[in-house]
Amino acid sequence: MSQVTPGVSAGPLPDRKPGSQFYEVGYRVRTGDVDQDMRVRLDAVARYLQDVANDNIEATDFGHTDPFWIVRRTIIDVIVPFTWPAAVTAQRWCGALSTRWTNMRVRLIAEHETNRFNPDPRPTGLIETEAFWINVNEQGVPSRLSDEAFSMLSSMTDEHRLRWRSMNPEKAPAPEEINSPDREHVLRITDFDPFKHLNNAAYLEAVEDELVEHPDLTDGPHRVVIEYLRPIVPGTRLIVRRVRSDDQLTVWLLMPGSGDELVVAATVVIGPIPG
């Protein structure tokens, strides 16, 4: 099956511009964030990223000038996995921007602790992330950043001509071209936000269901690239189609289109972090 170059083969995430400002906040790893092996799940990482974004906006005037943002893509590089218990430090800054969107980098560092359930010392955890955020108005239409927001964010980076380019294969293969049958992922009403959109973390819950069958993908450092193509609203039937190829898993989250057609709502690629 031919496909475009996936996101996992793109280069390492760029580091912070020397001397630039960043936002920092701390969180705790909770038992609700981890799987049966105490690994912090991908959906929990997505929630950390949502929390630090909300906290960052509240710490600035963006809540008044630029309050509405949507995520188009998130890259998660799990370099040293997080486990419970741990204290997490999140550092957030702008890695690139244009007049309507930004690449926001978040570095997550976990200082692991021990308890009776996890008594062995573990190395400091490290997860590097980058998210493509689009500034929108109340109608959800991409809009120019305010002068104040552009001034603050542009001071953090020298890349001021950010353009969108898809990293994942958007077209799903036909069912007869692959070995694994489609499966339905049942959505719950608790998966949706106040705007009646599927929460970003809920997409990755469907991916965690797949990773149970591919534990080798998360045993070492790994990259996850998720691109959100269409909003999913309450009552939507979600279908999962996936292909495992060597050390990479590609997942398409499908939903009904017109007639019997299924359209792609999101794409996810999981594989090794590029050197």
Side-chain angles (χ1 to χ4, degrees), residues 30-49:
R30 308 294 185 184
T31 53
D33 299 332
V34 300
D35 65 9
Q36 293 90 336
D37 296 319
M38 300 190 187
R39 173 186 64 91
V40 171
R41 302 185 312 270
L42 293 172
D43 58 292
V45 174
R47 280 190 291 273
Y48 297 158
L49 299 181

Side-chain angles (χ1 to χ4, degrees), residues 91-139:
Q91 299 174 345
R92 188 174 192 259
W93 69 92
C94 180
L97 82 163
S98 188
T99 56
R100 288 175 169 82
W101 43 69
T102 71
N103 267 347
M104 296 303 295
R105 286 274 282 108
V106 177
R107 175 171 295 148
L108 299 169
I109 303 167
E111 295 298 336
H112 289 124
E113 303 159 1
T114 59
N115 61 15
R116 62 181 298 183
F117 305 104
N118 202 353
D120 296 328
R122 289 101 64 209
T124 298
L126 177 61
I127 297 177
E128 298 278 9
T129 76
E130 181 179 84
F132 192 101
W133 287 84
I134 301 175
N135 186 48
V136 298
N137 59 22
E138 293 187 35
Q139 289 72 44

Side-chain angles (χ1 to χ4, degrees), residues 71-86:
V71 178
R72 185 69 169 81
R73 173 175 57 229
T74 301
I75 303 172
I76 301 173
D77 282 357
V78 181
I79 300 169
V80 181
F82 291 11
T83 56
W84 173 79

Side-chain angles (χ1 to χ4, degrees), residues 91-275:
Q91 299 174 345
R92 188 174 192 259
W93 69 92
C94 180
L97 82 163
S98 188
T99 56
R100 288 175 169 82
W101 43 69
T102 71
N103 267 347
M104 296 303 295
R105 286 274 282 108
V106 177
R107 175 171 295 148
L108 299 169
I109 303 167
E111 295 298 336
H112 289 124
E113 303 159 1
T114 59
N115 61 15
R116 62 181 298 183
F117 305 104
N118 202 353
D120 296 328
R122 289 101 64 209
T124 298
L126 177 61
I127 297 177
E128 298 278 9
T129 76
E130 181 179 84
F132 192 101
W133 287 84
I134 301 175
N135 186 48
V136 298
N137 59 22
E138 293 187 35
Q139 289 72 44
V141 177
S143 301
R144 292 181 63 88
L145 297 170
S146 67
D147 291 342
E148 297 84 356
F150 188 87
S151 176
M152 176 183 291
L153 295 173
S154 63
S155 69
M156 303 178 189
T157 176
D158 295 326
E159 177 53 69
H160 298 166
R161 298 177 63 85
L162 175 65
R163 298 180 183 275
W164 168 260
R165 183 175 68 86
S166 180
M167 296 170 67
N168 287 352
E170 295 185 8
K171 182 176 175 57
E176 60 270 16
E177 296 177 357
I178 59 178
N179 297 324
S180 301
D182 290 349
R183 70 168 181 86
E184 183 173 0
H185 180 77
V186 178
L187 298 173
R188 302 159 298 178
I189 196 62
T190 52
D191 292 329
F192 293 88
D193 63 23
F195 305 102
K196 297 183 179 180
H197 289 166
L198 188 67
N199 186 283
N200 292 338
Y203 290 81
L204 290 170
E205 291 177 359
V207 175
E208 284 287 341
D209 279 348
E210 292 301 320
L211 289 175
V212 170
E213 303 298 328
H214 305 275
D216 60 301
L217 293 179
T218 56
D219 283 346
H222 53 283
R223 168 171 287 187
V224 180
V225 180
I226 178 168
E227 295 186 341
Y228 305 94
L229 306 183
R230 293 178 173 87
I232 299 175
V233 299
T236 299
R237 182 169 179 256
L238 193 64
I239 304 299
V240 179
R241 186 170 298 169
R242 65 275 199 213
V243 171
R244 174 68 189 262
S245 177
D246 297 326
D247 58 359
Q248 177 178 299
L249 177 67
T250 304
V251 179
W252 293 266
L253 301 180
L254 309 172
M255 66 182 190
S258 58
D260 296 330
E261 177 191 15
L262 290 175
V263 296
V264 179
T267 61
V268 189
V269 177
I270 306 101
I273 298 175

